[in-house]
Amino acid sequence: MSDHSNSSASQPAAPPDLKAHVNFTGTQFVITNNDTFTWTDCKLEVNPKTFSSGFTYHAGSLAAGSVYTVGVLQFANDDGQRFNPLQYKPTSFSIACNTPGGRAFYFGNWG
């Protein structure tokens, strides 16, 4: 007869949310990395949707403590259409990046 002990498998801790600050100037998005580490392989997205992409921009690395400005026309949807603030209102913004602790995310809304 074998002894089966109940051992719980430990799961890795979820990476923390990105400490980001995002502003919209009307023509540009201003993103601040408030973390103490560099974000890499970043995907920035305006008006992300649940089952499809909003308007995305793929950034390389965003260094800790740095401020990045990205023009609105840099963001495009899956059809290649550019984000035009005369046609669309930015209602939300998301960031997904690799960090030393794994993939981490930021999500913010504008009212």
Side-chain angles (χ1 to χ4, degrees):
M1 181 172 187
S2 64
D3 181 15
H4 293 289
S5 61
N6 282 340
S7 62
S8 60
S10 63
Q11 295 182 357
D17 290 336
L18 296 172
K19 293 179 184 168
H21 186 263
V22 180
N23 281 333
F24 177 61
T25 69
T27 59
Q28 299 176 327
F29 292 96
V30 181
I31 302 107
T32 305
N33 175 347
N34 291 319
D35 279 309
T36 59
F37 49 84
T38 298
W39 306 337
T40 59
D41 188 29
C42 296
K43 177 183 174 185
L44 312 177
E45 190 167 3
V46 182
N47 298 349
K49 298 177 178 31
T50 304
F51 295 109
S52 63
S53 293
F55 295 88
T56 60
Y57 175 76
H58 293 276
S61 297
L62 294 118
S66 295
V67 177
Y68 295 87
T69 303
V70 182
V72 294
L73 293 178
Q74 297 294 317
F75 291 83
N77 67 12
D78 291 340
D79 296 332
Q81 182 179 17
R82 299 292 173 172
F83 182 82
N84 182 341
L86 300 175
Q87 289 180 297
Y88 305 102
K89 178 182 176 186
T91 57
S92 57
F93 196 93
S94 69
I95 304 171
C97 298
N98 291 333
T99 70
R103 195 81 172 155
F105 305 92
Y106 163 87
F107 182 83
N109 282 312
W110 288 290

